[in-house]
Every structure is written in structure tokens, then in C-alpha cells.
């Protein structure tokens, strides 16, 4: 018997205990142990089998690390069929998170009991696949088609109480999974309960699967797995036999397993966990984080304060005067009202957060004892230096001084203090209590335990924290500036902002770059363009002025009701602003440009080539630690479609060599903008991928 599954007899009951930390994934040894355990119980004349997990959870699914490797017997589908066909009564006792193949093993058992805190789910669609071990055939039989479609297409976790109501569980009893399991098995034996194979239950009545398919496909915004899963559930209703349904499920599962979307989503799954694991932080103790302060209560500061409050931290928010402090408190209360409405907090928690956990201040002396300060004042180096000089005077030794700047030089900010080792960048994304990305910007003199504290704060706030080096725009905004410029060049050459937005939403972005600019505020991009011109732009750089003219007319996007699009109060989205094309046509004429047509494919290819090329420079210069760090930045901060894994995963999938060839072709028209990234050239020359680099870089 494999040590992954321990076998024990308790009277007439054979007990199979899974011991495969950290989540009892159903790897080969576990599958072999379960199969051997069932066979041994039958050969020894046991009357029943109890399956449960030791440690933190019952099986949390197939072992995702086996995906893409040659299958090894017993496969999970066959194991589930084997469990279900046992002549003994098989019972599963669930705790923790019984997910994916884990829930499928439980569904192939004849009875299911769980502790009240247990959760069940079939989250396979989030990995680009579908439940492939009978889940789409068995769940509809116990829970009905509607509930099964909801659970399978959303992948959501379902609490034990709801699962009991749905018929997924038979019992919910508090206690140790082994104990409640043994008691339940004995009760079943004493009462002469029959085997109850789910696969032998009648096929559920069908629903209008075509409508469900269309609705799920539309909601998936290009992700295929949820819609394909609908077809697998349909087989549970329409296939001639249960086994035929299993065969159909397998076909659809393998189609998805062999898809690029599975590659992208698995890459995202492991990368979002790997990105905050830095070898240099191993064993480094973060500094205390009992109380933090935020300076500046505008949108960003109020968002950061809200995120910290929701994470259970005490927050002191410093504003310049009482009126500004009151306005800031109002923004925070507005944010918390949103959390209240969404059921994330109770009214009592809202009251505690606003009346006890949050302290408003207008005097720096209030910060004398805080562990960490996040400055979120106006994006001007002079203002920041004033703030950090003051912080250096009032904050206790060892307090961490962080700036939320989105592009300014954190080394320069640190240099105006006597404690550069305590200075770090913590770049949140707006709205800071919603967006998951946090760029932890490590300056030259930032101490290691300060970096560790930045990541510890990110974990507390449930952020995806990415280490960034110091440069203009760090990782995300630097890459954004480049691919946005590529879009502007295409506008000057003949594409329209509206066609570009449509092409990129077709690629999977939630919004195109121009709609995003309208949302963020066109004045932000305008200020960046003016700053860069003031700093002196390379004469070879193609500049565009049509957007400036749009801003000069007071059009800043959604907040003024008009930008690239015209927005009507109370209506989602906007309609193209006709003034925009007039400005673009005038600029093309002034520059002597004869506009040409662009296909959506060319727009996407050029936009993505610019993104990948700049990302390769960011990795090559060490601003981002690994390619996966860029992927996670774009996924969690810039709406990049998750099922593509991120720009550098996408590049690996489409092929680096062809991409480099395209960049060299574009360079024939604009050698300055399209200078190939040295790292990209190196990888192509060596026949390596960005993923190879991820593996090589610890
Ligand atoms: N396989 C391999 N490793 C896994 C894993 C899995 N299924 N789940 C988690 N890990 C690793 C994870 O990478 C991390 O490793 C560590 O465990 C702790 O995870 C046929 C084919 C269970 C809710 O999709 O949702 O079954 O970083 O940090 O926050 O239909 O892990 O420490 O090295 O996430 O407490 C379906 C995926 C698979 C569940 C726990 N199952 N996992 O969350 O810890 S497909 C899933 C999770 C399938 C069948 C198909 C979460 C969790 P490291 P963690 P956590």
C-alpha cells in the first residue's frame, strides 16, 4: 500500500486515509493507493470502505502538475468507475475543499458526509478544462441539471449546507472526518442501507442546452471551457447510457486538455503562486505590521486605507486639514458601503471599521508610532520629497516609508531621507481595494526585511504582489506606455481607436485601450505626454497630438461625459465621439500621412508584438524578475485575458521566432520604436522560450 493512502481495518470497515500534503492532490501514488485499498477491502471480506483525507483537506483535485505528461494508470475516470462499482458500501468523509477530481471521487462513493466547514466544487473550467472523471455525469444525477450547470460552468465553491440541500452531500456533522465517517458507515451497515451508485441513477431531464451554451459562451468572453462543459452535462441527459455519457465527457475533456487555453490557465494558476516567492526572502522576517498610515485621502489613498481596514489593520489617514480629512473619510465610507452591499462585511463590522479601526489625522505627530506609512499624495517629485522629509523626522526608527508612486524614481525619494534602507515603493492600482495587483518597487538601498514586509502586507491585503525594479513606469505602466504608443501609431496610419478597441476586446481584453483611457481619465495620459516632452523626447520618436487636442477641449473621458466615446448618464459604455476622427484626419493631413486599412488580426498582432517586445526588455534589464512576473502584472493590473496566461505565455504559444520576424518587419518602417529586445533575440537564437527562463530563474 502506498504511504499516500494508509489502509486500516476497523471491524467490518476498511479505512483508506489519504496523506499527500499539502492538498491531497490525486497524484499517481494516491490513485494507486485508492485502487489497491478498494481491492484489498473486497478480498479481505470487509463490508464497507471509508475514504477521507488527513491534514488540511479531502482530495483537492487531480494533480495539476501531471497535466501535459503521459497519463499513468489508474486514470482518475477509471478509478472513479472502480470505486462506484465496488460491491461494498463506499463512503467519503469530506473536510477542507473537496474540489475537482476530489469531488468526483466523492461522487463515485455511495454516500457522502462532511463537516460543516467543508466546501465542494468543480473548478476545472478555471484551468481551461472540465470535470473529466465523471463529474459532469454524476453531479446532475444528484443535484439536478440547473445546479450542476451552475456549479460546473462557474467553478464556484459550495458550502456544506448548500451542498446538503442540493443532494451533493447526505450528511453534515461536526467533528473529526474519520470519526464522523466511521459512525456514519456503521449506521449504514446497521440499517442495511443499500449500495447507491450515482451512475445507476436515472438520467436527469434535459433543459434548453443551446440557450445555456450561448449564454455561457458570451459570458466567457472568449474562454471556451465553461461552454464546452455545458455540452458534457447535456450528454448526461441525452446519451443512451451512463457509460456513453462518460465517453462523451472524455472526448470533450481531451479537446480542452489539448487547448492553448488550458496552457494559459494552468500557467496563470502556478504563476500567481510563484510570483511572490523570492529566494532572497527565504527566512527573512518581515517587520511588524500592527498599524499603518496612509498619507493623502484621494481616490488612491482612500482605496489603500479601505483595503487595509478590510484586512483587519488599524489605519491612520493623514490629510492636510479637517475638510480634506472629512472628504477622505467619506470616500472610505463609500468604499466600505460597497463591501457592505456585496455582503463582504456586516453593518457591525462597518461601524467598527469606520469608528474604531480608522483614525483621521491632520498632524504628522499622529504617525510617530506607526509601523508603515504609504504615501499617496500628488504625483510630483517635489511634493513627495517634502512628505518623505517630514516622515523621516516624525516616524519611529524601523518604520517603513512607502510611496504609492506609479512611475517616479523611488531611489530619488529615498535619497531625501536619512533611512533609504526603510524606503520602498508600494504601487497599488485603482481602485486599490478592488484591484489585486501590487507592484513592490525595490529601490537600490531598500533593506531585505523591508521587501519582505512589502510582500507580507500584500498577502494580508490579498494582493498578487510582484517585485519591480526602479524605472519609469516600473513593470506595468512601462509596458502599457509602449503598447499604447503602438496603438496610437496605428491610428495615425489608418486604424480608428474604435476599431482597435473592438479588435482587442475580440482578443479577450475586457476593454480596449481607448475605452480604458476614458475610464482612467484622459488627463492622466495627457500629463504623461507633456512630462515626457518636457524631459525631451528622442527626435526619432513618432509623437501624436490628436489626443492632446481632445483634452484641450476639456474632454477627459467618462468623468466629463466625453472622450474617445460619448457617455450618457445612466447608460453603460459609450458611443464613438465623432470629433475624434476629425482630429485624427486633421493630424494625418498635417503629417502628410495617407491612411491605409488595418485588419483586426494585424492590429492585435502589432499591439501584442509591442507588448511582448517591451516586456522582454523589462525582464532583460531585471526590472521584472522573471517572464511570469510580467504575465501576472498584466493579468492582475491591466485586464489581460487570463486564459491566454499573460503576454509572454501567449508569445511562447504563438512562437517567439515568428514574433521576432514581425518586429523586424515593423522596424523597416520605424527602426526607433521597433528595436528588438536583446532578450527576445537571445531566446530565439538559443531556441528557448520565456517558460524556459521561468524555470531557470528560481
Ligand atoms: N495539484 C497540484 N498542486 C496543487 C493543487 C492541485 N490540484 N492544488 C493546490 N496545489 C498546490 C499549490 O500549487 C500550492 O503549491 C499548494 O498546493 C497550496 O495551494 C479529472 C483533472 C485547494 C483551494 O482546481 O484551488 O481535478 O505554491 O497556495 O490558498 O476533473 O490550491 O505551495 O508549491 O492554493 O490554501 C481541480 C486547485 C484540478 C483546485 C487551496 N482542482 N487548488 O488553496 O493553498 S483539475 C483545483 C486550489 C481536476 C478532474 C480534473 C487551491 C486550494 P506551492 P494554495 P490555498
Amino acid at each position: 500500500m502506498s504511504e499516500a493512502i494508509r489502509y486500516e481495518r476497523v471491524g467490518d470497515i476498511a479505512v483508506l486515509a489519504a496523506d499527500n500534503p499539502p492538498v491531497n492532490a490525486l497524484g499517481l501514488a494516491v490513485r494507486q493507493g485508492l485502487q489497491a485499498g478498494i481491492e484489498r477491502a473486497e478480498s479481505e471480506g470487509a463490508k464497507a470502505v471509508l475514504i477521507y483525507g488527513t491534514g488540511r483537506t479531502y482530495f483537492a483535485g487531480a494533480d495539476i502538475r501531471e497535466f501535459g505528461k503521459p497519463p499513468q494508470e489508474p486514470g482518475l475516470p477509471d478509478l472513479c468507475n472502480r470505486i462506484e462499482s465496488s460491491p461494498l458500501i463506499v463512503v467519503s468523509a469530506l473536510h477542507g475543499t473537496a474540489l475537482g477530481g476530489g469531488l468526483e471521487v466523492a461522487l463515485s462513493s455511495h454516500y457522502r458526509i462532511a463537516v460543516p466547514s467543508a466546501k465542494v466544487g468543480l473548478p476545472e473550467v478555471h484551468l481551461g478544462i472540465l470535470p473529466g472523471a465523471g463529474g459532469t455525469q454524476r453531479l446532475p444525477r444528484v443535484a439536478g441539471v440547473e445546479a450542476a450547470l451552475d456549479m460546473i460552468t462557474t467553478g464556484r465553491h459550495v458550502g456544506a449546507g448548500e451542498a446538503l440541500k442540493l443532494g451533493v452531500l447526505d450528511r453534515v456533522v461536526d467533528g473529526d472526518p474519520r470519526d464522523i465517517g466511521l459512525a456514519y458507515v456503521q449506521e449504514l451497515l446497521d440499517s442495511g442501507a443499500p449500495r447507491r451508485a450515482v451512475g445507476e441513477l436515472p438520467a436527469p431531464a434535459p433543459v434548453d442546452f443551446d440557450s445555456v451554451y450561448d449564454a455561457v459562451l458570451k459570458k466567457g468572453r472568449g474562454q471556451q471551457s465553461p461552454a464546452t462543459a455545458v455540452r458534457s452535462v447535456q450528454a448526461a441527459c441525452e446519451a443512451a447510457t451512463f457509460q456513453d455519457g462518460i465517453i462523451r465527457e472524455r472526448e470533450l475533456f481531451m479537446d480542452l486538455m489539448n487547448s492553448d487555453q488550458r496552457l494559459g490557465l494552468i500557467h496563470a494558476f502556478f504563476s500567481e503562486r510563484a510570483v511572490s516567492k523570492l529566494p532572497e526572502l527565504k527566512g527573512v522576517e518581515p517587520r511588524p505590521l500592527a498599524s499603518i498610515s496612509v498619507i493623502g485621502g484621494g481616490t488612491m489613498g482612500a482605496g489603500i486605507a479601505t483595503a487595509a481596514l478590510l484586512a483587519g489593520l488599524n489605519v491612520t489617514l493623514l490629510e492636510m486639514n479637517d475638510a480634506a480629512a472629512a472628504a477622505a473619510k467619506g470616500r472610505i465610507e463609500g468604499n466600505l458601503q460597497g463591501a457592505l452591499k456585496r455582503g463582504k462585511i456586516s453593518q457591525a463590522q462597518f461601524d467598527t471599521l469606520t469608528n474604531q479601526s480608522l483614525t483621521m489625522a491632520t498632524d504628522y505627530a499622529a504617525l510617530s508610532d506607526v509601523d508603515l506609512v504609504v504615501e499617496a499624495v500628488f504625483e510630483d517629485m517635489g511634493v513627495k520629497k517634502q512628505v518623505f522629509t517630514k516622515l523621516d523626522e516624525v516616524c519611529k526608527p524601523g518604520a517603513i516609508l512607502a510611496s504609492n508612486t506609479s512611475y517616479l524614481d523611488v531611489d530619488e525619494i529615498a535619497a531625501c531621507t536619512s533611512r533609504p534602507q526603510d524606503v520602498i515603493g508600494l504601487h497599488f492600482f485603482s481602485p486599490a481595494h478592488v484591484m489585486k495587483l501590487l507592484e513592490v518597487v525595490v529601490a537600490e538601498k531598500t533593506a531585505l526585511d523591508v521587501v519582505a514586509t512589502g510582500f507580507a502586507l500584500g498577502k494580508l491585503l490579498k494582493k498578487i504582489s510582484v517585485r519591480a525594479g526602479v524605472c519609469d513606469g516600473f513593470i506595468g505602466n512601462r509596458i502599457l506606455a509602449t503598447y499604447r504608443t503602438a496603438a496610437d501609431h496605428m491610428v495615425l496610419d489608418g486604424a480608428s481607436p474604435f476599431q482597435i478597441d473592438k479588435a482587442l476586446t475580440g482578443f479577450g481584453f475586457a476593454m480596449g485601450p481607448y475605452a480604458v483611457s476614458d475610464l482612467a481619465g484622459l488627463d492622466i495620459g495627457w500629463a504623461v505626454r507633456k512630462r515626457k516632452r518636457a524631459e525631451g523626447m528622442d527626435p526619432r520618436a513618432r509623437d501624436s497630438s490628436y489626443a492632446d487636442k481632445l483634452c484641450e477641449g476639456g474632454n477627459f473621458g467618462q468623468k466629463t461625459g466625453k472622450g474617445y466615446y460619448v457617455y450618457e448618464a445612466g447608460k453603460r459604455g459609450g458611443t464613438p465621439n465623432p470629433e475624434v476622427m476629425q482630429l485624427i484626419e486633421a493630424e494625418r493631413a498635417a503629417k502628410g500621412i495617407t491612411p491605409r486599412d488595418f485588419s483586426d488580426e494585424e492590429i492585435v498582432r502589432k499591439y501584442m508584438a509591442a507588448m511582448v517586445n517591451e516586456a522582454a526588455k523589462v525582464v532583460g534589464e531585471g526590472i521584472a524578475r522573471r517572464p511570469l512576473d510580467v504575465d501576472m502584472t498584466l493579468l492582475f493590473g491591466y485586464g489581460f485575458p487570463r486564459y491566454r496566461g499573460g503576454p509572454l505565455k501567449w508569445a511562447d504559444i504563438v512562437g517567439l521566432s515568428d514574433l521576432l520576424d514581425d518586429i523586424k518587419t515593423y522596424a523597416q518602417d520605424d527602426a526607433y520604436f521597433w528595436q528588438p529586445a536583446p532578450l527576445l533575440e537571445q531566446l530565439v537564437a538559443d531556441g528557448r522560450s520565456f517558460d524556459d527562463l521561468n524555470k531557470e530563474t528560481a
Side-chain angles (χ1 to χ4, degrees), residues 415-491:
C416 81
T417 72
S418 64
R419 48 174 122 180
Q421 70 283 0
D422 297 341
V423 176
I424 193 168
L426 291 178
H427 178 214
F428 291 85
F429 286 72
S430 187
H433 59 296
V434 175
M435 293 296 284
K436 285 186 74 72
L437 180 63
L438 172 65
E439 283 182 316
V440 179
V441 184
V442 180
E444 195 182 328
K445 294 180 177 161
T446 305
L448 264 186
D449 64 342
V450 174
V451 180
T453 313
F455 277 91
L457 178 66
K459 189 167 182 149
L460 258 179
L461 304 187
K462 295 190 174 52
K463 299 289 183 185
I464 298 292
S465 304
V466 182
R467 183 198 183 285
V470 175
C471 74
D472 188 336
F474 313 133
I475 299 173
N477 282 346
R478 171 170 159 181
I479 295 168
L480 165 65
T482 302
Y483 64 78
R484 176 58 202 273
T485 301
D488 285 338
H489 289 173
M490 286 192 272
V491 166

Side-chain angles (χ1 to χ4, degrees), residues 22-23 56 60 62-64 67 101 104 123-124 127 131-132 269 273 277:
V23 296
R56 64 201 277 202
D63 188 331
I64 305 173
F67 289 5
E104 290 173 301
E124 287 86 341
L127 301 173
F269 175 86
R273 287 159 175 81
K277 292 190 174 97

Side-chain angles (χ1 to χ4, degrees), residues 259-265 267 605 643-656 658-659 689-690:
S259 70
D260 289 343
Q261 292 193 5
R262 188 268 296 174
L263 288 175
L265 286 164
H267 171 73
R605 186 75 180 180
Y643 60 80
R644 296 189 186 274
L648 298 183
K649 185 63 182 176
W650 172 85
D652 279 350
I653 291 171
V654 300
L656 300 191
D658 291 348
L659 210 52
S689 66
F690 285 112

